[in-house]
């Protein structure tokens, strides 16, 4: 009985650690994007590690979102978005568990593309070497292109 009560608590601690690491990684990624945006032709390489969950580059909404699904951790008030620094946090119910999303929204700043197109790209467990390039102004917005090396 003790073990069945302890395991979910340990998993919550692990998931909280993953969210802390991911918040730090998204903050660093945001800084790289701002650095790349300073001049057309700028290119940066950024390593992003995903231990659990998924990272989505969405050219349609010009967002970068990390999602942690099926967690016991209720990270924030359900259904309420919270913005801290440049990241928006959202916890949503998923049955008896939760899905937590961390989002960087660039819709007012950049036109984000993946391999110079508008296909949504989702990354799962692994270490990714992302290439980020400023392709210059397109339709009044800077086009920032992502690719995996």
């Amino acid at each position: 009985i003790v073990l069945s009560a302890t395991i979910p608590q340990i998993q919550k601690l692990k998931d909280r650690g993953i969210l802390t690491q991911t918040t730090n990684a998204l903050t660093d990624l945001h800084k790289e994007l701002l650095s790349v945006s300073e001049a057309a032709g700028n290119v940066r390489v950024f390593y992003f590690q995903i231990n659990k969950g998924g990272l989505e580059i969405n050219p349609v909404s010009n967002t970068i979102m990390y999602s942690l699904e099926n967690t016991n951790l209720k990270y924030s008030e359900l259904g309420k978005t919270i913005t801290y620094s440049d990241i928006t946090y959202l916890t949503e119910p998923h049955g008896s568990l939760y899905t937590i999303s961390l989002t960087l929204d660039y819709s007012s700043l950049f036109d984000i593309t993946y391999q110079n197109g508008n296909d949504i790209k989702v990354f799962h467990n692994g270490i990714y070497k992302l290439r980020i390039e400023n392709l210059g102004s397109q339709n009044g917005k800077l086009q920032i292109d992502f690719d995996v090396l």
Side-chain angles (χ1 to χ4, degrees):
I1 293 175
V2 172
L3 194 55
S4 65
T6 305
I7 290 174
Q9 295 305 317
I10 292 171
Q11 193 57 52
K12 282 182 186 181
L13 289 173
K14 286 182 180 179
D15 288 351
R16 186 175 297 281
I18 288 169
L19 289 171
T20 299
Q21 289 173 342
T22 304
T23 296
N24 292 338
L26 286 173
T27 299
D28 291 344
L29 177 59
H30 177 70
K31 290 176 186 173
E32 288 295 322
L33 280 167
L34 294 178
S35 177
V36 160
S37 73
E38 291 176 1
N42 273 352
V43 176
R44 299 285 187 278
V45 174
F46 186 81
Y47 290 88
F48 200 97
Q49 180 173 348
I50 302 169
N51 294 320
K52 185 177 178 182
L55 181 73
E56 175 185 279
I57 297 174
N58 188 330
V60 176
S61 63
N62 292 309
T63 58
I64 299 170
M65 182 177 73
Y66 170 81
S67 292
L68 179 61
E69 297 177 341
N70 299 319
T71 178
N72 289 315
L73 179 63
K74 183 178 169 186
Y75 197 66
S76 60
E77 186 178 347
L78 294 179
K80 303 276 184 177
T81 57
I82 298 169
T83 302
Y84 180 74
S85 188
D86 297 296
I87 302 172
T88 301
Y89 299 83
L90 177 64
T91 302
E92 297 178 295
H94 188 85
S96 63
L97 301 173
Y98 305 100
T99 297
I100 302 167
S101 303
L102 285 63
T103 305
L104 291 168
D105 184 351
Y106 294 105
S107 58
S108 64
L109 293 174
F110 306 129
D111 179 19
I112 290 179
T113 55
Y114 180 76
Q115 294 180 338
N116 209 15
N118 285 321
D119 292 334
I120 295 170
K121 179 66 177 172
V122 180
F123 303 95
H124 294 283
N125 296 358
I127 299 174
Y128 297 92
K129 187 177 179 181
L130 301 175
R131 181 178 188 272
I132 308 164
E133 181 177 4
N134 180 341
L135 297 178
S137 185
Q138 307 287 330
N139 301 321
K141 282 189 184 177
L142 281 180
Q143 182 179 349
I144 304 294
D145 188 61
F146 285 83
D147 202 352
V148 175
L149 300 176

